[in-house]
Amino acid sequence: MTELDTRSQILIAAEERFSLYGYNKTTMVEIASDCNMSAANLYRFFDNKLDIGAGLANQCLAEKENELAVIVADNLMTSAEKLHAFVVNILHYTYRRFDVAPRLSELIEAMTIQRPEVMKSHRNSTIILLRRLLEQSVDAGEFEFSDIDATAEAINTAITVFYLPAVMPLFSLEEFESKAKSVCDLLVNGLSKIKT
Amino acid sequence: MTELDTRSQILIAAEERFSLYGYNKTTMVEIASDCNMSAANLYRFFDNKLDIGAGLANQCLAEKENELAVIVADNLMTSAEKLHAFVVNILHYTYRRFDVAPRLSELIEAMTIQRPEVMKSHRNSTIILLRRLLEQSVDAGEFEFSDIDATAEAINTAITVFYLPAVMPLFSLEEFESKAKSVCDLLVNGLSKIKT
DNA sequence: ATACTGAATATTTTGTTGATTATTCACTAA
DNA sequence: TTAGTGAATAATCAACAAAATATTCAGTAT
């Protein structure tokens, strides 16, 4: 078995455990024995448990980014609709994580605290996607703005609430959806060439 | 001494203790002895320690609301400037709480978790202030929008990041100030009659 | 060398117990 | 009746030991 295979075998075992029992309750010995190896051997492929978690988190977040990329790439929606779909997608992901999938949430939480770069990089990817959405909106003659990077950043900042699981208990999903709608409307109003 | 006097005497003692040693480290016996009474007697005026905290938190948050009200009432700034000052004020308050005044922060944190109504009510007051700001902007012929309540809500949602101490460690104050600026610009753009 | 292990060590978590603190209550003083 | 208390009880916290777990390392097999 090649080194790469072993790495991904470990990641697969870890994913199974993490999503079933959570990051904290999963031990290195368990992951190792799922792979029919000793715990010590895991350290030949990953520096530590946190790195296994980071590998997995990157995978999860990449999937999320892909969903967002699909929305951005869509060519039936208007830019306004895309932005709204974008925000709602983020909201639903966050809500689900706090509500129905708290196990995987534990992993993200551990990363937020102990591997902030993982989240930073996801944040960056998201901003790049927003930037692409903005580019396309200009091409389509729908939005206009002066500084595309500042604008993408600002949109991301304005929708940060929808990223935060900690805020989810404060309102129902319906309430959040309505908030997402009205924030998007406000943003779109500021971005649109023609005011509605 | 009237009942009201005793109540406020207790609150004053509690404020002193809470801001010096924090909510958790302050005991009922300490507050009581500062007031030259027994701990048991505190319970004739407050149902429990949390209620003393809530009384104080309400006071703190009311002060913050007053600062915001001053900004809204100002008649030298444009509406755009007011909105920006409003957001920056919130940001600075939040940043200070996490950075230099963690003692009082402890109280707010306890309230957020154990007395969410206190924070909800502050949120409401803030939205009412935003609503007033919007009203005035219409009178001044600066902003226009369809639904004032939805708009006030949406603005509040878009600036929620700046309320959250938990997010503060992620960026420097300067970075947050720049974010506040660009979010405000974006919002103002959407609200203004004349696009900039 | 490469892939791996068992056993040793270091770090974290868990569990327990005593001490502190919040809260209640039966009672006293004016 | 109103303002208050001390003592009892209940809930929470802190400290420390024990157990579990992560990580390292010296060594084995191929």
Side-chain angles (χ1 to χ4, degrees):
Chain A
M1 181 177 295
T2 78
E3 167 149 342
L4 208 79
D5 284 346
T6 313
R7 262 187 78 95
S8 61
Q9 185 195 12
I10 293 171
L11 281 177
I12 288 166
E15 178 172 23
E16 180 74 10
R17 291 272 176 189
F18 287 172
S19 52
L20 218 51
Y21 309 107
Y23 176 78
N24 295 312
K25 292 276 177 200
T26 298
T27 72
M28 294 298 266
V29 172
E30 286 166 347
I31 296 173
S33 74
D34 287 349
C35 303
N36 294 104
M37 56 176 70
S38 70
N41 200 39
L42 294 176
Y43 289 86
R44 295 192 51 252
F45 302 92
F46 294 92
D47 279 355
N48 48 46
K49 186 178 172 185
L50 218 50
D51 275 357
I52 300 181
L56 231 47
N58 276 323
Q59 213 169 281
C60 287
L61 294 174
E63 276 171 37
K64 182 180 170 191
E65 284 157 26
N66 282 341
E67 285 184 34
L68 295 176
V70 168
I71 292 172
V72 171
D74 182 289
N75 46 26
L76 291 174
M77 287 189 270
T78 65
S79 299
E81 286 164 347
K82 283 185 193 181
L83 181 62
H84 185 243
F86 194 96
V87 175
V88 167
N89 187 290
I90 291 170
L91 165 61
H92 283 178
Y93 184 89
T94 308
Y95 202 86
R96 182 153 30 93
R97 255 181 52 208
F98 125 85
D99 193 38
V100 294
R103 287 283 96 86
L104 260 183
S105 193
E106 206 181 302
L107 174 63
I108 305 289
E109 204 173 315
M111 289 305 126
T112 308
I113 298 167
Q114 291 164 69
R115 278 288 151 82
E117 4 22 303
V118 172
M119 304 314 283
K120 279 256 177 185
S121 127
H122 173 59
R123 194 189 121 83
N124 268 343
S125 309
T126 312
I127 292 178
I128 289 171
L129 286 169
L130 278 171
R131 198 186 187 288
R132 201 187 301 162
L133 192 159
L134 288 176
E135 267 166 15
Q136 294 181 0
S137 77
V138 171
D139 294 346
E142 293 172 307
F143 290 171
E144 67 179 1
F145 39 79
S146 46
D147 180 340
I148 189 169
D149 288 308
T151 306
E153 271 263 350
I155 294 175
N156 195 251
T157 305
I159 65 177
T160 304
V161 222
F162 305 117
Y163 285 97
L164 305 170
V167 181
M168 294 297 113
L170 296 178
F171 300 97
S172 71
L173 180 56
E174 289 71 35
E175 286 173 309
F176 273 116
E177 282 170 344
S178 139
K179 283 175 201 302
K181 179 80 176 85
S182 51
V183 169
C184 283
D185 286 351
L186 194 52
L187 294 176
V188 165
N189 213 27
L191 295 165
S192 293
K193 271 186 163 167
I194 298 138
K195 282 207 152 199
T196 52
Chain B
M1 183 177 291
T2 78
E3 168 150 342
L4 208 81
D5 284 347
T6 313
R7 262 187 77 95
S8 60
Q9 185 196 9
I10 293 171
L11 281 177
I12 290 166
E15 178 172 21
E16 181 73 12
R17 290 273 176 187
F18 287 171
S19 53
L20 218 51
Y21 308 107
Y23 176 77
N24 295 314
K25 291 278 177 199
T26 298
T27 72
M28 294 297 267
V29 171
E30 286 166 349
I31 297 172
S33 75
D34 287 349
C35 302
N36 294 104
M37 56 175 72
S38 68
N41 200 38
L42 293 176
Y43 290 85
R44 295 190 53 252
F45 302 93
F46 294 91
D47 279 355
N48 47 47
K49 187 178 170 183
L50 218 50
D51 275 358
I52 300 180
L56 230 49
N58 277 323
Q59 213 169 280
C60 287
L61 295 174
E63 275 170 38
K64 182 180 169 190
E65 286 157 25
N66 282 340
E67 284 183 37
L68 295 176
V70 168
I71 292 172
V72 172
D74 182 288
N75 46 26
L76 291 175
M77 286 188 270
T78 65
S79 298
E81 287 165 347
K82 283 185 190 181
L83 181 61
H84 185 242
F86 195 95
V87 175
V88 167
N89 186 290
I90 291 170
L91 166 61
H92 283 179
Y93 184 88
T94 308
Y95 202 86
R96 181 153 30 92
R97 255 182 52 208
F98 124 86
D99 193 38
V100 294
R103 286 283 95 87
L104 262 184
S105 192
E106 205 181 302
L107 174 63
I108 305 288
E109 205 172 313
M111 291 303 126
T112 307
I113 298 167
Q114 291 164 68
R115 279 287 149 79
E117 348 45 288
V118 171
M119 302 316 281
K120 278 255 177 185
S121 128
H122 173 59
R123 194 189 121 82
N124 270 342
S125 309
T126 313
I127 291 178
I128 289 170
L129 286 169
L130 277 171
R131 200 187 187 289
R132 201 187 298 161
L133 192 158
L134 287 176
E135 268 167 15
Q136 294 180 2
S137 76
V138 171
D139 294 347
E142 292 172 307
F143 290 170
E144 68 180 358
F145 39 80
S146 46
D147 180 340
I148 189 169
D149 288 308
T151 307
E153 270 263 351
I155 295 174
N156 195 251
T157 304
I159 65 177
T160 305
V161 224
F162 305 118
Y163 284 98
L164 305 171
V167 181
M168 295 297 113
L170 295 179
F171 300 97
S172 72
L173 181 55
E174 288 70 34
E175 285 172 310
F176 273 116
E177 283 169 344
S178 138
K179 283 174 201 301
K181 180 80 175 84
S182 51
V183 169
C184 283
D185 285 350
L186 193 53
L187 295 176
V188 165
N189 213 26
L191 296 164
S192 293
K193 270 186 165 167
I194 300 139
K195 283 207 153 199
T196 51

